[in-house]
Every structure is written in structure tokens, then in C-alpha cells.
Amino acid sequence: MPNMRMDKNPMPAQDPNVRITNVEEVTLGYTPETAIDEAKRCLNCKHKPCVEGCPVNIHIPDFIAKVAEGDFAGAYEIISLTSSLPAICGRVCPQETQCESKCVRGIKGEPVAIGRLERFVADYMREQGEAPLAAPQRNGHKVAIVGGGPAGLTAAGDLAKLGYQVTVFEALHVAGGVLMYGIPEFRLPKSIVQHEISKLSNLGVEFVTNYIVGRSGTIEDLESDGYEAIFVGSGAGLPNFMNMPGEELKGVYSANEFLTRFNLMKAYKDDSDTPIQHPRKTVVVGGGNVAMDAARCARRLGSEVHVVYRRSLEELPARKEEVEHAMEEGIIFDLLNNPVEVHPDENGNVASVECIKMELGEPDESGRRRPIAKEGSNFLVEADCMIMAIGTSPNPLIRSTTEGLETNRKGCLIVDENEMTSRQGIFAGGDAVTGAATVISAMGAGKKAAAAMDQFIQKKVRENA
Ligand code: FAD
Ligand code: SF4
């Protein structure tokens, strides 16, 4: 008999007053007993609507049934058929708009906590010391992956499992992409990301770090080096700004710079090589996950933090859970406001941010109500730090150094239904193609591209036979 309780088992979490003084993970995960209890809420529906909601089609009811039986290794095996990064997805995927939004238990109560169960299974197996997959026999062909984010890592893993010699070229000193430099430790511990990457090394994937494709070497160089197909998963790491007066002042950061200093360079530690300002009062501009992460990091540096967002709470695009956590941590939401100018102090540092009040008009092309400035409503917010989190675009370096790579007007690479770009043998996926999106969509693209790259190479082999 399924457990017909209406609510999900709650996720234990660190006390907000304690967690703003550390960078440890906020949510603590289910115990085996809670996981089994939650799994029993699943009705094992015949038509499996939750699976349709998952971009990589994890066999959700099957893995949950294994959890309900207490067979966590069996559950992990089922998840691993379709997902290579479950400990990560279980933590950061927006399940509320994906699998859980389709769960029939959500009609009259809360959906089954699919994400929490996925995280539990992956964590349990890691803590038990899951047996590493052996490197498969090589098939004699080599492929290159540009960028070590979730798109590149997924493509690398799938191709290595098929026997390819895979090399990942990564611009930074560690692989992981946004998982390492963007999403903070308190949401996604870096040891978990590195554990996933070590599994790829065990499969024989080689990582060449500090290698910027377009500077250290070009795509053409990789082709000349004998890579038979190349996957570009270089993300969308170029920050957008508003071009308002004062954005060049000391104390104004892009969210990417601020988060990279905080997460990758561990600037919160006293002995970090990367200094970071410990602001007194921070204005974070934007309302997405990136804004929430920047705000919560600034809070952990001891700052009072205001999130300035031009629409209302209803339109705020960040995950609900992140907004709730941010609010619990004392972050102040200044909604229906927009910055128009940053004013300096006598030393050229940020002293205040001038904002204007907004009201909502008719829906725009995104379906959200258009924010309209209320003339004459300008006011000053005193602040010594401002973080811009209003979106990112793909970096133009690769497209500007590679002949014949077509992009759209937003600078995103254009691919066909097989993730192949306008250049034969060069595939792409993740944020480099879609613009800033999600971890799971980047993984889905990496998976699809890996299958297409395999077909592309095998077709050539047959033609040359
Ligand atoms: P990335 O993760 O950006 O990885 C690209 C990699 O390519 C990087 O390592 C980069 O250094 C490397 N690279 C770039 N150019 C070159 C070059 N020329 N040569 C070699 N290497 C290069 N999504 C969610 O699903 N849930 C969340 O909670 C969430 N929170 C987020 C929080 C933040 C702060 C940010 C910034 C994003 C967040 N996202 C979230 C979005 C998600 O992280 C991205 O959609 C995802 O990481 C995209 O994966 P990717 O592999 O395409 O690119
Ligand atoms: Fe279980 Fe919900 Fe999926 Fe039905 S929709 S199988 S209840 S997780």
C-alpha cells in the first residue's frame, strides 16, 4: 500500500542564523528511513508522467520502487542508465518545473520528492564507496571536448564508455564549469563535483586544464591533431551589464567575477590568494538563481544584502527553494525597483545606487508583465558594493577564431537536430547553444551530441572501409 500522506518528507537544513556564518551545505539530505518513507508515496503510475518531465528521461518510478524496497544500489543502477551526475542534479535541478511538476501526487498535495530521492541515492552510494567503472576497451578513435562543464562532462563520459579516447580542454585550472565556479559550496559541495570528475578520469578521460581554445590553440589545431570529432560545450560565461553611469566604479562586480572569487578561489578564507571586498551593504541586481547565489555569498561575508528586481515576487525567475532560503537568511527583496546610476564616494568606490520605482504593464514576448519606470520616483540606496546578475551570453572567442561557425544574433552556436554546428564534425551543446539555461538541459545536449558524434565517426569508418 502506498503511503498516502499529502506532504513530502521535509528536507533537514542548517539553522539560518548558523549557516550565514559558514559555507557548509545548507540542506542535509534524507536518512535511509526517510528516503524509504518518501519513496512509498510513489504510486508507480502506469503512464509515468514524471519521466516525460525529466530532460534525460530517468526511469523515475523504477528507481523509486527500488528505494522503497531499501535496494539503494539497484536504484543507483537505474538512475545511472540515463544520468551521469545524479548527486549534482538531485541538488540543483529545478524539479518543481520538471519531473515533480508532472507528478500525479502533486494534484492533491505535494509531489513525490523525486529530486531529494535522487540526491539520497547518489550520496548513499558515494558514501558506501561505489565500485569505480572500469575503463572500457579503446576503439582506436579520438575526440576532443572543449569545456568541462556539465555538457562537456556528460559528452566525455558517454564517449569514453563507447571506447573513445577523450580529451577535455578546459580554460580554467579545474574542470566542472559553473558547477565549480558559479554554484556556491553551500548549495553544491565541490568535493561532490570533483568526485564525479574523478569517475570520468577512471574511465580514461584526459583533462587538459588552463587551455583556452581560441588562445592556447584553435579548433583547427585540434582537427590537425587528429581529433575526429569535437564537441564545444564552452557555456555562456560572458556577463551582461546595463551600461548605466557608474558601472565601472570600484565595488561593482559581475556576478560571475564575484562568484568565481568566492567559490573557485575561496576568497572567504583569510589565507585566499584572491582578495574580495567584505562589503557592509550590497545591492544585487537581478532575480534569477545567479542573483540568489551572489546575494547569499555576500551575506556570508557579513554584508546586509538587498536584491533589487524590476518585477514582483510572482515573476522572480529563481527557484522557489532558493528564494525561501535567501529570505530565511535575512536577504531583503526590494521588488519593483530598477537601478539607473551608481554614485561614487570621494575615492571612486561605490557609495550609493540610484534606483527608480517600477510598475507592471501588459505581458511582453516572454509572457511576463512588462516593467515600466514610474517617472520621478528615483531614490538612493546607500551601498558599498553592487553585483550585476542580469544574465550572461556565450563568449565570442571560439566563434571568432573558427572559420564557418554560424551563430544567432545572441552569439549562440547554431546546431542541427544532431547537435552538429555549421562545420562538419564540430558539435556543440549546453549554454553555448541555448544561452544560459540549466544543468540538466546541458547534460541532455551533451548526451545527444555524444551519440551523434559516435554515429558521425562510425559512418566515416564505414565509408573508408
Ligand atoms: P558551463 O557550466 O558554463 O561550462 C563551460 C566550461 O567551458 C567552463 O568550464 C569554461 O571555463 C569552459 N570554457 C569556456 N570557454 C572555453 C574555451 N575557449 N576553451 C576551453 N574551455 C572553455 N542550473 C540549474 O539547473 N540549477 C541551478 O541551481 C543553477 N544555478 C546556477 C547558478 C549560477 C551562479 C550560474 C552561473 C548558473 C546556474 N545554473 C543552474 C545554470 C547552469 O549551471 C548552466 O546552465 C550549466 O552549467 C551549463 O553547462 P555548460 O556545460 O553548457 O556550461
Ligand atoms: Fe511516482 Fe509521481 Fe511518477 Fe506517479 S508521477 S510514478 S506518483 S513519481
Side-chain angles (χ1 to χ4, degrees):
M1 262 295 279
N3 169 354
M4 292 311 289
R5 216 191 38 250
M6 290 293 173
D7 301 339
K8 288 177 179 179
N9 276 278
M11 177 61 117
Q14 274 197 73
D15 181 274
N17 292 321
V18 175
R19 71 188 190 227
I20 56 168
T21 63
N22 66 49
V23 293
E24 306 301 318
E25 193 168 16
V26 167
T27 53
L28 304 172
Y30 279 171
T31 61
E33 295 72 31
T34 327
I36 292 172
D37 186 64
E38 183 63 28
K40 288 185 176 159
R41 294 186 62 231
C42 174
L43 305 176
N44 210 339
C45 310
K46 228 184 193 157
H47 58 299
K48 308 178 194 330
C50 49
V51 178
E52 273 168 45
C54 171
V56 296
N57 299 122
I58 293 179
H59 306 319
I60 293 167
D62 300 349
F63 101 73
I64 293 182
K66 292 285 179 196
V67 176
E69 289 166 19
D71 178 2
F72 306 137
Y76 186 70
E77 229 171 82
I78 294 170
I79 297 174
S80 303
L81 292 175
T82 45
S83 169
S84 45
L85 306 171
I88 294 168
C89 293
R91 284 174 165 80
V92 304
C93 271
Q95 291 99 7
E96 64 279 10
T97 56
Q98 299 180 338
C99 53
E100 292 184 16
S101 74
K102 309 270 180 192
C103 174
V104 296
R105 291 299 311 262
I107 298 169
K108 275 201 183 151
E110 285 190 326
V112 175
I114 301 170
R116 293 175 186 174
L117 290 174
E118 182 186 18
R119 166 184 166 165
F120 164 79
V121 170
D123 286 356
Y124 181 89
M125 293 306 290
R126 188 179 64 258
E127 283 154 18
Q128 298 297 307
E130 68 196 280
L133 282 178
Q137 193 163 7
R138 288 271 164 88
N139 66 6
H141 297 281
K142 67 177 198 173
V143 292
I145 307 290
V146 179
L153 294 177
T154 305
D158 281 14
L159 287 160
K161 284 180 201 155
L162 290 170
Y164 288 91
Q165 181 188 333
V166 183
T167 309
V168 177
F169 294 91
E170 166 55 49
L172 294 173
H173 63 280
V174 283
V178 171
L179 307 177
M180 284 302 287
Y181 78 75
I183 303 181
E185 176 82 18
F186 54 81
R187 273 214 298 134
L188 177 63
K190 303 306 148 213
S191 56
I192 291 177
V193 181
Q194 288 309 311
H195 176 79
E196 299 298 337
I197 291 172
S198 72
K199 289 200 297 193
L200 296 181
S201 299
N202 287 337
L203 281 174
V205 175
E206 197 195 330
F207 288 90
V208 179
T209 52
N210 295 314
Y211 191 105
I212 305 175
V213 173
R215 287 259 159 74
S216 321
T218 60
I219 292 275
E220 276 85 4
D221 292 334
L222 298 179
E223 286 175 324
S224 310
D225 287 346
Y227 291 101
E228 294 162 76
I230 298 169
F231 174 76
V232 180
S234 49
L238 188 70
N240 298 339
F241 284 91
M242 290 173 73
N243 296 322
M244 66 181 144
E247 260 180 333
E248 71 295 344
L249 291 174
K250 277 186 273 175
V252 179
Y253 295 83
S254 70
N256 260 25
E257 178 191 346
F258 186 81
L259 289 167
T260 303
R261 285 175 185 267
F262 190 93
N263 298 315
L264 193 68
M265 310 304 291
K266 311 231 176 296
Y268 52 84
K269 288 188 174 170
D270 290 338
D271 61 350
S272 166
D273 291 339
T274 302
I276 201 168
Q277 181 188 359
H278 284 241
R280 210 171 25 80
K281 188 164 166 186
T282 305
V283 164
V284 176
V285 182
N289 285 326
V290 181
M292 296 307 118
D293 284 342
R296 296 175 72 196
C297 288
R299 188 80 184 107
R300 281 159 175 75
L301 291 173
S303 180
E304 175 182 324
V305 184
H306 291 244
V307 169
V308 170
Y309 177 59
R310 61 195 183 139
R311 291 181 163 102
S312 72
L313 198 57
E314 213 174 296
E315 290 83 21
L316 200 92
R319 290 189 67 192
K320 198 168 154 256
E321 184 183 81
E322 303 313 325
V323 178
E324 281 168 8
H325 281 158
M327 285 178 170
E328 285 168 10
E329 290 167 11
I331 287 160
I332 301 154
F333 284 73
D334 292 338
L335 302 165
L336 288 166
N337 289 314
N338 209 23
V340 288
E341 184 166 353
V342 195
H343 296 284
D345 65 10
E346 59 283 4
N347 300 316
N349 297 317
V350 175
S352 62
V353 180
E354 185 177 335
C355 295
I356 190 163
K357 291 191 183 302
M358 308 294 282
E359 57 194 350
L360 295 178
E362 292 303 307
D364 61 17
E365 62 281 358
S366 73
R368 293 177 302 170
R369 291 176 65 195
R370 188 188 299 276
I372 302 165
K374 281 194 202 169
E375 244 180 79
S377 65
N378 297 36
F379 64 102
L380 285 183
V381 181
E382 190 210 325
D384 56 346
C385 176
M386 182 168 86
I387 304 174
M388 301 300 292
I390 53 163
T392 54
S393 322
N395 190 305
L397 183 64
I398 293 182
R399 66 174 189 265
S400 64
T401 53
T402 314
E403 279 286 307
L405 268 191
E406 280 178 22
T407 52
N408 64 19
R409 65 184 173 82
K410 291 184 172 162
C412 299
L413 291 168
I414 296 174
V415 293
D416 66 13
E417 65 285 0
N418 292 319
E419 308 283 317
M420 182 140 74
T421 65
S422 46
R423 281 269 308 252
Q424 276 287 305
I426 301 178
F427 296 76
D431 284 5
V433 168
T434 55
T438 60
V439 171
I440 194 78
S441 56
M443 282 175 56
K447 219 171 182 33
K448 198 167 155 204
M453 286 163 81
D454 177 44
Q455 278 180 15
F456 174 80
I457 293 174
Q458 296 310 326
K459 185 165 173 247
K460 276 195 151 179
V461 171
R462 284 194 299 276
E463 283 167 2
N464 295 334

PDB file of all heavy atoms in Angstrom, residues 429-448:
ATOM      1  N   GLY A 429      26.766  22.043 -27.618  1.00  0.00           N
ATOM      2  CA  GLY A 429      25.568  21.888 -26.790  1.00  0.00           C
ATOM      3  C   GLY A 429      25.732  22.606 -25.466  1.00  0.00           C
ATOM      4  O   GLY A 429      26.811  23.094 -25.128  1.00  0.00           O
ATOM      5  N   GLY A 430      24.650  22.653 -24.714  1.00  0.00           N
ATOM      6  CA  GLY A 430      24.654  23.359 -23.433  1.00  0.00           C
ATOM      7  C   GLY A 430      24.449  24.851 -23.644  1.00  0.00           C
ATOM      8  O   GLY A 430      23.924  25.281 -24.675  1.00  0.00           O
ATOM      9  N   ASP A 431      24.898  25.632 -22.687  1.00  0.00           N
ATOM     10  CA  ASP A 431      24.642  27.083 -22.710  1.00  0.00           C
ATOM     11  C   ASP A 431      25.246  27.757 -23.943  1.00  0.00           C
ATOM     12  O   ASP A 431      24.782  28.814 -24.357  1.00  0.00           O
ATOM     13  CB  ASP A 431      25.227  27.742 -21.452  1.00  0.00           C
ATOM     14  CG  ASP A 431      24.373  27.497 -20.215  1.00  0.00           C
ATOM     15  OD1 ASP A 431      23.396  26.743 -20.305  1.00  0.00           O
ATOM     16  OD2 ASP A 431      24.699  28.069 -19.151  1.00  0.00           O
ATOM     17  N   ALA A 432      26.307  27.167 -24.537  1.00  0.00           N
ATOM     18  CA  ALA A 432      26.922  27.763 -25.734  1.00  0.00           C
ATOM     19  C   ALA A 432      25.927  27.792 -26.886  1.00  0.00           C
ATOM     20  O   ALA A 432      26.031  28.610 -27.790  1.00  0.00           O
ATOM     21  CB  ALA A 432      28.159  26.958 -26.141  1.00  0.00           C
ATOM     22  N   VAL A 433      24.922  26.913 -26.830  1.00  0.00           N
ATOM     23  CA  VAL A 433      23.916  26.825 -27.893  1.00  0.00           C
ATOM     24  C   VAL A 433      22.601  27.491 -27.466  1.00  0.00           C
ATOM     25  O   VAL A 433      21.970  28.204 -28.235  1.00  0.00           O
ATOM     26  CB  VAL A 433      23.669  25.336 -28.261  1.00  0.00           C
ATOM     27  CG1 VAL A 433      22.440  25.160 -29.128  1.00  0.00           C
ATOM     28  CG2 VAL A 433      24.903  24.767 -28.962  1.00  0.00           C
ATOM     29  N   THR A 434      22.213  27.252 -26.215  1.00  0.00           N
ATOM     30  CA  THR A 434      20.883  27.723 -25.774  1.00  0.00           C
ATOM     31  C   THR A 434      20.936  29.093 -25.112  1.00  0.00           C
ATOM     32  O   THR A 434      19.908  29.716 -24.904  1.00  0.00           O
ATOM     33  CB  THR A 434      20.299  26.744 -24.737  1.00  0.00           C
ATOM     34  OG1 THR A 434      21.266  26.601 -23.679  1.00  0.00           O
ATOM     35  CG2 THR A 434      20.008  25.387 -25.320  1.00  0.00           C
ATOM     36  N   GLY A 435      22.151  29.566 -24.751  1.00  0.00           N
ATOM     37  CA  GLY A 435      22.242  30.687 -23.825  1.00  0.00           C
ATOM     38  C   GLY A 435      22.044  30.121 -22.429  1.00  0.00           C
ATOM     39  O   GLY A 435      21.754  28.919 -22.275  1.00  0.00           O
ATOM     40  N   ALA A 436      22.170  30.975 -21.397  1.00  0.00           N
ATOM     41  CA  ALA A 436      22.121  30.488 -20.016  1.00  0.00           C
ATOM     42  C   ALA A 436      20.860  29.663 -19.778  1.00  0.00           C
ATOM     43  O   ALA A 436      19.746  30.143 -19.982  1.00  0.00           O
ATOM     44  CB  ALA A 436      22.177  31.670 -19.064  1.00  0.00           C
ATOM     45  N   ALA A 437      21.019  28.394 -19.369  1.00  0.00           N
ATOM     46  CA  ALA A 437      19.855  27.521 -19.153  1.00  0.00           C
ATOM     47  C   ALA A 437      20.063  26.710 -17.877  1.00  0.00           C
ATOM     48  O   ALA A 437      20.339  27.294 -16.819  1.00  0.00           O
ATOM     49  CB  ALA A 437      19.648  26.638 -20.370  1.00  0.00           C
ATOM     50  N   THR A 438      19.967  25.389 -17.958  1.00  0.00           N
ATOM     51  CA  THR A 438      20.066  24.583 -16.734  1.00  0.00           C
ATOM     52  C   THR A 438      21.100  23.468 -16.893  1.00  0.00           C
ATOM     53  O   THR A 438      21.464  23.091 -18.008  1.00  0.00           O
ATOM     54  CB  THR A 438      18.713  23.917 -16.394  1.00  0.00           C
ATOM     55  OG1 THR A 438      18.343  23.080 -17.482  1.00  0.00           O
ATOM     56  CG2 THR A 438      17.627  24.922 -16.117  1.00  0.00           C
ATOM     57  N   VAL A 439      21.501  22.918 -15.752  1.00  0.00           N
ATOM     58  CA  VAL A 439      22.474  21.825 -15.734  1.00  0.00           C
ATOM     59  C   VAL A 439      21.925  20.628 -16.501  1.00  0.00           C
ATOM     60  O   VAL A 439      22.606  20.038 -17.343  1.00  0.00           O
ATOM     61  CB  VAL A 439      22.782  21.440 -14.260  1.00  0.00           C
ATOM     62  CG1 VAL A 439      23.605  20.169 -14.199  1.00  0.00           C
ATOM     63  CG2 VAL A 439      23.481  22.590 -13.541  1.00  0.00           C
ATOM     64  N   ILE A 440      20.669  20.300 -16.254  1.00  0.00           N
ATOM     65  CA  ILE A 440      20.118  19.089 -16.871  1.00  0.00           C
ATOM     66  C   ILE A 440      19.949  19.273 -18.378  1.00  0.00           C
ATOM     67  O   ILE A 440      20.156  18.328 -19.146  1.00  0.00           O
ATOM     68  CB  ILE A 440      18.797  18.654 -16.178  1.00  0.00           C
ATOM     69  CG1 ILE A 440      18.399  17.235 -16.562  1.00  0.00           C
ATOM     70  CG2 ILE A 440      17.675  19.612 -16.396  1.00  0.00           C
ATOM     71  CD1 ILE A 440      19.143  16.160 -15.866  1.00  0.00           C
ATOM     72  N   SER A 441      19.626  20.491 -18.827  1.00  0.00           N
ATOM     73  CA  SER A 441      19.496  20.665 -20.277  1.00  0.00           C
ATOM     74  C   SER A 441      20.878  20.584 -20.925  1.00  0.00           C
ATOM     75  O   SER A 441      21.011  20.034 -22.030  1.00  0.00           O
ATOM     76  CB  SER A 441      18.746  21.940 -20.649  1.00  0.00           C
ATOM     77  OG  SER A 441      19.369  23.045 -20.070  1.00  0.00           O
ATOM     78  N   ALA A 442      21.918  21.079 -20.234  1.00  0.00           N
ATOM     79  CA  ALA A 442      23.283  20.970 -20.768  1.00  0.00           C
ATOM     80  C   ALA A 442      23.684  19.489 -20.830  1.00  0.00           C
ATOM     81  O   ALA A 442      24.277  19.018 -21.809  1.00  0.00           O
ATOM     82  CB  ALA A 442      24.250  21.753 -19.882  1.00  0.00           C
ATOM     83  N   MET A 443      23.324  18.740 -19.794  1.00  0.00           N
ATOM     84  CA  MET A 443      23.649  17.305 -19.791  1.00  0.00           C
ATOM     85  C   MET A 443      22.931  16.581 -20.927  1.00  0.00           C
ATOM     86  O   MET A 443      23.499  15.717 -21.597  1.00  0.00           O
ATOM     87  CB  MET A 443      23.228  16.674 -18.467  1.00  0.00           C
ATOM     88  CG  MET A 443      24.176  16.952 -17.335  1.00  0.00           C
ATOM     89  SD  MET A 443      23.491  16.286 -15.822  1.00  0.00           S
ATOM     90  CE  MET A 443      23.251  14.578 -16.270  1.00  0.00           C
ATOM     91  N   GLY A 444      21.653  16.936 -21.114  1.00  0.00           N
ATOM     92  CA  GLY A 444      20.858  16.299 -22.180  1.00  0.00           C
ATOM     93  C   GLY A 444      21.518  16.544 -23.535  1.00  0.00           C
ATOM     94  O   GLY A 444      21.624  15.631 -24.369  1.00  0.00           O
ATOM     95  N   ALA A 445      21.994  17.789 -23.747  1.00  0.00           N
ATOM     96  CA  ALA A 445      22.635  18.127 -25.028  1.00  0.00           C
ATOM     97  C   ALA A 445      23.955  17.366 -25.179  1.00  0.00           C
ATOM     98  O   ALA A 445      24.277  16.877 -26.272  1.00  0.00           O
ATOM     99  CB  ALA A 445      22.878  19.631 -25.094  1.00  0.00           C
ATOM    100  N   GLY A 446      24.710  17.246 -24.083  1.00  0.00           N
ATOM    101  CA  GLY A 446      25.985  16.508 -24.130  1.00  0.00           C
ATOM    102  C   GLY A 446      25.750  15.051 -24.499  1.00  0.00           C
ATOM    103  O   GLY A 446      26.494  14.443 -25.269  1.00  0.00           O
ATOM    104  N   LYS A 447      24.670  14.507 -23.970  1.00  0.00           N
ATOM    105  CA  LYS A 447      24.325  13.096 -24.221  1.00  0.00           C
ATOM    106  C   LYS A 447      23.964  12.880 -25.697  1.00  0.00           C
ATOM    107  O   LYS A 447      24.442  11.964 -26.348  1.00  0.00           O
ATOM    108  CB  LYS A 447      23.091  12.781 -23.360  1.00  0.00           C
ATOM    109  CG  LYS A 447      23.133  11.452 -22.754  1.00  0.00           C
ATOM    110  CD  LYS A 447      22.053  11.223 -21.742  1.00  0.00           C
ATOM    111  CE  LYS A 447      22.227   9.859 -21.167  1.00  0.00           C
ATOM    112  NZ  LYS A 447      23.541   9.328 -21.013  1.00  0.00           N
ATOM    113  N   LYS A 448      23.111  13.782 -26.176  1.00  0.00           N
ATOM    114  CA  LYS A 448      22.652  13.677 -27.562  1.00  0.00           C
ATOM    115  C   LYS A 448      23.842  13.840 -28.514  1.00  0.00           C
ATOM    116  O   LYS A 448      23.986  13.096 -29.501  1.00  0.00           O
ATOM    117  CB  LYS A 448      21.616  14.788 -27.806  1.00  0.00           C
ATOM    118  CG  LYS A 448      20.759  14.572 -28.988  1.00  0.00           C
ATOM    119  CD  LYS A 448      19.589  15.533 -28.936  1.00  0.00           C
ATOM    120  CE  LYS A 448      19.077  15.757 -30.340  1.00  0.00           C
ATOM    121  NZ  LYS A 448      18.366  16.997 -30.499  1.00  0.00           N
TER     122      LYS A 448
END
